[in-house]
Structures are given as structure tokens and as C-alpha cells.
Amino acid sequence: MKARIVDIATYLPGHTRTSAEVEELIEGFRAPRGLIERLTGIAARHVAADDQQASDLAAEAARRLDHDVDLLIFASASQDMVEPATAHIVAAKLGLSCPVFDVKNACNSLLNGLQVAEALIRMGAHRRVLVCTGEVPSRAIRWQVRDREQFVDSFAGYTLSDAGAAVLVAADRRRGIFYRDFSAQSTAWAIGTLPGGGSAHPRDPEYSYFRGDGRRLKEAFEKVGPDLFLNALKRTGLTWDDFAVVAVHQVALPYLRFLADTLDIPEDRLVVTLPRHGNCASATLPLQLQLGGWAPGDRVAMLGLGGGISMGVMLAEM
């Protein structure tokens, strides 16, 4: 038995914020005008309403899919609260009574959620699994900046975008996910963090902002190298031309171009979402698949990159 991706839906909040507007909102340190878009290629990103939670964005996406499921997995970097699992809140909003749980691994969360869903379907524990995410990183952006050093430390937050996504995975005897591989270099976990809310910093608001060193993060991924992705082709005997869409997690256009050149991914297989949608965290890959031009029976590839750091690749016949 295989696990096939049956349907995909995304939800993008209607309010958008341009990079120029982001720069105007930053107080205490004035960045050169146009710096964010020039360095990242991001022109705009989505911003959830004040009363929208991560569960709302996930539920909005999931409502566009068939709700006949026997398991719900909420797989996201964001969460409504520490307890209970946000999956319960999403299920309640959808009127579901099936088992639920959360999966969390930064921007690779949804990809890992699909990994778990596939494993459970292949072992016969479940037949139809809804994997969803709701990302609201706009709540973790630092707007009051002390100096240039703090601006650089907070820069990654200015690229982030709010989004929801849902993927329906079902048992199928003929086609589905046929390759998956994951790796981690956990010694690099401190390069990008949102420290607040856990046992380390439970209440200090100073730790409620995303912080990270983009250059060190890029260096960490480069140190791990591209073998995880290239081995997927070697072991399956495929090339990128055999895929209708090659979805790649996107944080900045220069790094996307670097990665595509390193892996020799044809440009016409990529779906570039960064300029209009920003970094949608774990919703990035399903957004690309929804916007990409594939048909039933086509192959798609998902290449994940996440803080921690972790990497993942999944190949599927749709």
C-alpha cells in the first residue's frame, strides 16, 4: 500500500505588507531604503488579522478539502499555545472527532508531517490523513530595534509571511510517495531561534522575537552539502526533468538561485513564490505545489530546509 497526495489547499491572508512598508515600521534603526527587497527579492508578504491564530489559517485551508479523514496532523513551526496541541483546536474548528497530534520541526514541519502520515498509512494504521499547517510568524517580528547589530539579528523576521496549508494523503495501491530521506545537523540549532514560551524562557517578552544569523545559516546548509537531494536522483534513477514541479523551500532569491544552480534544477521546474508571498515557513512547499502545473500521475519533488538545522526530500507520484 502506498500513500498518495490526493489534494492540496492553501490559505493566504488578504492583507499584505510590502518590504517598503516593513522598513517604515521599524523604529530605532533606519535601514537603507529598499534594502530588504534588494537582499531577499521579497516584494510583499501576507499578514494575518489580529484575531486570526495559527489554527484559523490551517482550518481555512483545510475547509477547501474533503474532511473524510481518520487522522489530523498539525505540522507547523507556529502554534496557538503550549497546551493543548494545536491539532485539537484545528479539529474542533473543522468539527472533526478523529485522533490528532502535532508535529514540529521549524520550516520542515509539514514535510515531516507528510513523512509521518505516509508511514502510518503504509503500516495500515490509517487510510486518510489530513496534514495541515498555520504559520503566523508576523507575531514574532521585532519592530523596536536598538542598533544595526540588533537589526541584523532580527533581519530574518522581516522576510516571514503568514499562511495556512492543508494536504490530504490517502491509501492508494497504485501510486503515491515513493522516496523520502531526511537529515539533521543539530549542533547548529542556535543559529536561528524563537526562544520564548518554552522552559528556557517562559515569560520574558524579550525572547518572543525571531532572531537568526542568515549568513551562518547559509554556511551551515552548505557545510552539510547537497548529497541528500542528489542521492534521491541517483537512488531512483530519475532526473529533475522527470518531475512536473520541484518545490524548494525559499528564504531569499539569491540562496534559491544558488541551490538551484548547485543541484542543476531546470528553471522551468521551479515555482518561485518569494517575491509575492515571502517566506511562508512550513506552508512554502504546499503553496508551490498548489501553484505548480501538475496533473494526476505526474511526479513532484519536495526539497525542505529548516532551522535546527534539518533537510528533507520527498518524491511523489500524484
Side-chain angles (χ1 to χ4, degrees):
M1 186 63 67
K2 295 184 177 181
R4 181 166 64 92
I5 296 174
V6 175
D7 206 354
I8 302 167
T10 57
Y11 170 74
L12 301 173
H15 179 60
T16 59
R17 184 176 288 152
T18 67
S19 289
E21 290 171 334
V22 168
E23 291 170 353
E24 288 298 319
L25 288 170
I26 300 170
E27 298 181 358
F29 174 80
R30 182 57 61 188
R33 190 178 298 274
L35 179 70
I36 294 175
E37 185 169 356
R38 187 163 63 251
L39 292 181
T40 68
I42 297 172
R45 72 279 291 138
H46 301 273
V47 183
D50 290 343
D51 60 350
Q52 283 185 312
Q53 308 305 323
S55 60
D56 291 309
L57 273 57
E60 286 290 346
R63 287 190 181 100
R64 305 174 187 193
L65 303 182
D66 184 357
H67 293 168
D68 180 19
V69 298
D70 56 15
L71 175 67
L72 183 147
I73 301 174
F74 180 77
S76 178
S78 300
Q79 58 189 27
D80 282 18
M81 55 190 69
V82 174
E83 284 286 343
T86 304
H88 286 291
I89 305 173
V90 176
K93 290 176 178 178
L94 295 175
L96 298 177
S97 57
C98 60
V100 305
F101 57 82
D102 285 3
V103 168
K104 189 178 183 70
N105 189 19
C107 293
N108 267 345
S109 296
L110 188 126
L111 194 61
N112 288 126
L114 292 177
Q115 177 192 14
V116 174
E118 185 210 7
L120 291 172
I121 289 173
R122 284 169 62 93
M123 70 180 289
H126 293 279
R127 292 192 58 82
R128 292 173 63 84
V129 182
L130 180 62
V131 184
C132 58
T133 180
E135 296 287 15
V136 195
S138 63
R139 307 279 163 81
I141 297 173
R142 185 188 291 276
W143 299 112
Q144 301 287 334
V145 178
R146 182 177 58 249
D147 51 25
R148 182 184 182 278
E149 181 180 1
Q150 193 172 60
F151 172 78
V152 172
D153 190 52
S154 306
F155 186 84
Y158 305 131
T159 71
L160 297 173
S161 181
D162 300 341
V167 181
L168 179 60
V169 187
D172 192 299
R173 295 190 179 277
R174 296 182 298 112
R175 62 183 191 267
I177 297 167
F178 62 89
Y179 184 90
R180 82 294 303 150
D181 197 12
F182 296 85
S183 69
Q185 183 60 49
S186 300
T187 56
W189 72 265
I191 293 176
T193 63
L194 179 51
S199 61
H201 306 286
R203 296 175 185 84
D204 191 338
E206 178 61 25
Y207 291 99
S208 63
Y209 305 107
F210 186 84
R211 54 179 64 174
D213 187 325
R215 182 173 299 176
R216 287 180 59 208
L217 193 61
K218 179 175 179 289
E219 291 171 353
F221 281 119
E222 290 175 359
K223 184 177 180 180
V224 174
D227 287 352
L228 183 85
F229 303 129
L230 295 176
N231 285 341
L233 299 181
K234 293 177 184 177
R235 292 168 181 169
T236 58
L238 300 171
T239 72
W240 298 125
D241 287 324
D242 294 314
F243 295 87
V245 175
V246 180
V248 183
H249 184 62
Q250 300 175 17
V251 296
L253 277 184
Y255 188 67
L256 175 62
R257 298 303 181 198
F258 168 81
L259 188 62
D261 289 344
T262 301
L263 299 177
D264 201 24
I265 302 173
E267 189 171 347
D268 63 355
R269 297 301 190 267
L270 296 172
V271 180
V272 182
T273 53
L274 268 174
R276 293 181 55 201
H277 305 294
N279 178 358
C280 297
S282 68
T284 300
L285 296 181
L287 175 61
Q288 291 174 50
L289 291 183
Q290 188 184 39
L291 296 176
W294 57 268
D298 283 347
R299 298 188 189 98
V300 301
M302 291 171 275
L303 280 56
L305 306 165
I309 64 174
S310 66
M311 303 170 70
V313 57
M314 183 172 284
L315 310 180
E317 188 176 2
M318 305 295 276

